[in-house]
Amino acid sequence: MATKQLLHGKVLTILLTALFAFHFSLLTSHAQTVRDLIRKYPSYASCNYHIYPEITATLTPPPGDKKPFYLSHYGRHGSRYINSRSGYDIPYKMMAQADSLDELTVFGEEVYAEMRRIMRDTENRWGELSGYGKRQLEAIGHRMAQRFPEIFCPGARVTAVSTVVPRCIESMGSAALQLLQVCPQLNITMESSQRNQWYMNYQDRKLRRNYMTPEAQKAYDAYTASRMGNSQLMELIFKNPDIVKEIVDEDYFNYYLMKMSLFQLNTSYNQDTHLIKLFSEDALYNMWQVDNALWYIQHGACKLNGGCQPYSQRYLLRHLIEEADSCIQLDQPGAQLRFGHETVILPLLCLIGVDGYDLETDNLDELEEKGWWCSSVFPMGCNLQFVFYRSNPKDQDVLFKVLLNEAEATLPIKPVTGPYYRWTDFRQFCFDKLAKYKQKK
């Protein structure tokens, strides 16, 4: 009897310790604020220009005798140069005009010289994958193969598809080369074709055209009113800020110069970041809030415009499900990799509710409080991986888990255990949600 009591006490102690550790991990994982992240990683403030994070997450072992057998992926290209010169031209032309009127301070002249160096570095590289971006995708591909050797094994078939944009094609190639470094016997095929654009990079024109409703515009203007501009920056750069206001729009100048400084972290010029020192933590934080709210209105389930924006990726979701259903029937399905853009992966996550990104609200002040932080979703190189598990090819009870940027994520359905969900439950959840959109149309 005493032995049983002792055993019971030990089990209870173990359970309580595990429970405490679990709750502690939850508390510490949510302890970081947006300000903390910006302080540690300034590029976090730039939302979709954020640099891919360091990967430190460990994976939860699968239950029972389940083993990984198939991986389905959609990822963004790696770090790139800015898409067009126009983003840099906005602050640059303002500075050039102020310089022509001798309105730059000594410090302002240094900033102007740095801007010219940046312009020279990026000229005719608009939208190109940077060397930094290639290394990001190489590392992602390498980790993918190392984490799941049962999937990326000799003879396994890996099909890789990219959009027709060169930076996505190069990203696909960078990841594929590293997969082959880990397992040279993989059978990899790569394709970039206009025929795949209907699901790889579908942009619903109607949803895009109508996202900023009058109600959304009113809420956005009210939200951003106190978060734009930077009078201290104006005084630092211009001799007579009140005079140059005729040629320099304070809101635009502050916003785009900040973007210019942060974007350089993604390029070959990424070691020279002293332009960032122009901006206080408050300024960076305010810019993040402005951008985060806009991304939510554009791609989230925002009640201010009907909450339908995530459905722009309904074709991709159906494609992912159909491809997975087909591959599950095979003895060795391998992996299917897709390389595209952040304007696809963000609404896809919002559509299926990864990590609570299906948040529905008409209050933009709730976004930060409830964890709708777009920078955590779509940094350069971001990726969504569906990893499937079973005990053998005849096992019909297929489980899977979702990795967002290589960390285990949650879904709005009941898990089997930990981060593992039943594939049939997820399929039904998705089909039910897609059916609701048909009813709304």
Side-chain angles (χ1 to χ4, degrees):
M1 187 71 174
T3 304
K4 285 185 178 181
Q5 288 177 337
L6 181 63
L7 182 61
H8 178 75
K10 287 183 177 180
V11 171
L12 184 60
T13 301
I14 292 170
L15 287 173
L16 287 173
T17 302
L19 186 62
F20 173 79
F22 173 72
H23 282 293
F24 180 75
S25 68
L26 283 180
L27 288 170
T28 53
S29 67
H30 288 85
Q32 284 197 108
T33 65
V34 172
R35 281 185 177 275
D36 292 333
L37 290 167
I38 290 174
R39 196 175 300 121
K40 190 173 183 181
Y41 311 105
S43 71
Y44 194 89
S46 59
C47 292
N48 63 319
Y49 299 158
H50 181 35
I51 294 171
Y52 195 72
E54 294 181 8
I55 303 303
T56 58
T58 56
L59 301 183
T60 305
D65 59 353
K66 303 286 187 181
K67 298 181 290 293
F69 72 97
Y70 167 61
L71 187 147
S72 179
H73 153 283
Y74 188 101
R76 185 189 185 191
H77 56 76
S79 284
R80 58 168 170 80
Y81 289 86
I82 194 169
N83 264 342
S84 69
R85 184 182 175 123
S86 60
Y88 287 172
D89 268 347
I90 290 173
Y92 180 77
K93 287 181 178 179
M94 291 180 187
M95 287 287 281
Q97 192 168 358
D99 181 59
S100 70
L101 299 174
D102 192 29
E103 282 293 337
L104 295 182
T105 63
V106 173
F107 187 77
E109 289 174 355
E110 294 176 2
V111 172
Y112 185 40
E114 174 64 8
M115 292 171 74
R116 291 198 299 273
R117 287 193 288 270
I118 290 174
M119 298 291 276
R120 286 195 297 270
D121 178 69
T122 56
E123 189 66 38
N124 293 325
R125 294 179 176 178
W126 316 120
E128 291 180 4
L129 188 71
S130 67
Y132 195 36
K134 292 177 183 177
R135 293 193 293 275
Q136 289 166 347
L137 267 295
E138 288 171 354
I140 291 169
H142 193 88
R143 283 190 296 269
M144 192 183 293
Q146 283 194 322
R147 278 178 156 184
F148 307 110
E150 300 92 340
I151 297 174
F152 298 95
C153 58
R157 183 180 179 185
V158 178
T159 57
V161 178
S162 83
T163 67
V164 295
V165 180
R167 60 179 173 270
C168 297
I169 299 171
E170 288 187 71
S171 294
M172 173 175 65
S174 297
L177 285 174
Q178 280 302 307
L179 291 175
L180 288 170
Q181 285 288 324
V182 178
C183 183
Q185 294 81 26
L186 287 174
N187 179 12
I188 298 181
T189 60
M190 292 185 284
E191 179 183 5
S192 175
S193 172
Q194 192 68 40
R195 70 187 300 174
N196 299 319
Q197 293 292 93
W198 67 271
Y199 71 90
M200 284 293 296
N201 191 22
Y202 180 70
Q203 303 295 329
D204 191 305
R205 293 181 181 179
K206 183 178 179 181
L207 288 175
R208 285 179 66 88
R209 185 171 60 246
N210 298 324
Y211 79 87
M212 192 59 85
T213 61
E215 187 180 6
Q217 187 70 65
K218 181 180 178 181
Y220 183 68
D221 289 345
Y223 180 80
T224 59
S226 63
R227 294 173 167 89
M228 298 293 286
N230 189 338
S231 58
Q232 291 182 336
L233 179 67
M234 297 285 286
E235 292 171 1
L236 193 64
I237 290 178
F238 304 109
K239 293 178 180 177
N240 302 288
D242 291 336
I243 294 175
V244 299
K245 280 184 179 178
E246 296 182 10
I247 59 173
V248 176
D249 183 295
E250 182 179 330
D251 290 352
Y252 270 42
F253 181 73
N254 173 62
Y255 180 85
Y256 284 101
L257 184 57
M258 208 181 310
K259 287 284 187 181
M260 189 177 198
S261 68
L262 291 169
F263 202 96
Q264 290 310 112
L265 295 169
N266 289 285
T267 72
S268 60
Y269 200 55
N270 64 345
Q271 298 305 312
D272 199 343
T273 60
H274 62 262
L275 274 188
I276 296 175
K277 297 173 184 177
L278 291 171
F279 304 99
S280 66
E281 180 185 310
D282 284 344
L284 293 171
Y285 175 62
N286 286 342
M287 186 183 71
W288 177 85
Q289 289 182 310
V290 167
D291 274 2
N292 190 60
L294 184 59
W295 281 105
Y296 178 69
I297 295 171
Q298 287 179 326
H299 298 292
C302 180
K303 289 183 177 181
L304 295 165
N305 57 18
C308 290
Q309 296 302 313
Y311 287 99
S312 66
Q313 298 314 309
R314 57 194 181 276
Y315 299 125
L316 174 58
L317 179 55
R318 284 192 178 276
H319 174 80
L320 292 172
I321 293 173
E322 290 170 0
E323 292 281 273
D325 284 345
S326 176
C327 287
I328 285 172
Q329 306 305 315
L330 304 175
D331 288 350
Q332 190 181 37
Q336 292 178 306
L337 312 180
R338 307 165 187 88
F339 298 86
H341 308 271
E342 83 274 32
T343 53
V344 172
I345 201 166
L346 177 59
L348 177 64
L349 261 71
C350 294
L351 181 58
I352 61 181
V354 175
D355 279 350
Y357 279 87
D358 55 349
L359 172 67
E360 299 179 9
T361 184
D362 57 6
N363 184 354
L364 299 179
D365 285 306
E366 288 186 348
L367 297 179
E368 187 175 350
E369 171 193 340
K370 295 190 174 180
W372 205 97
W373 303 353
C374 66
S375 305
S376 295
V377 173
F378 61 9
M380 299 288 184
C382 66
N383 55 91
L384 189 65
Q385 300 178 27
F386 295 82
V387 188
F388 290 73
Y389 294 77
R390 66 188 178 193
S391 55
N392 58 68
K394 293 183 179 180
D395 182 5
Q396 298 298 306
D397 186 29
V398 175
L399 305 184
F400 81 109
K401 67 180 173 185
V402 178
L403 303 182
L404 173 57
N405 298 328
E406 303 178 74
E408 292 172 342
T410 62
L411 291 170
I413 58 175
K414 184 180 179 180
V416 174
T417 180
Y420 293 91
Y421 298 86
R422 188 162 279 111
W423 175 243
T424 52
D425 293 345
F426 179 70
R427 286 177 79 260
Q428 190 60 54
F429 165 77
C430 291
F431 288 145
D432 289 345
K433 192 160 189 178
L434 292 171
K436 289 180 182 178
Y437 181 63
K438 288 184 178 180
Q439 294 170 4
K440 289 181 182 182
K441 290 180 69 175

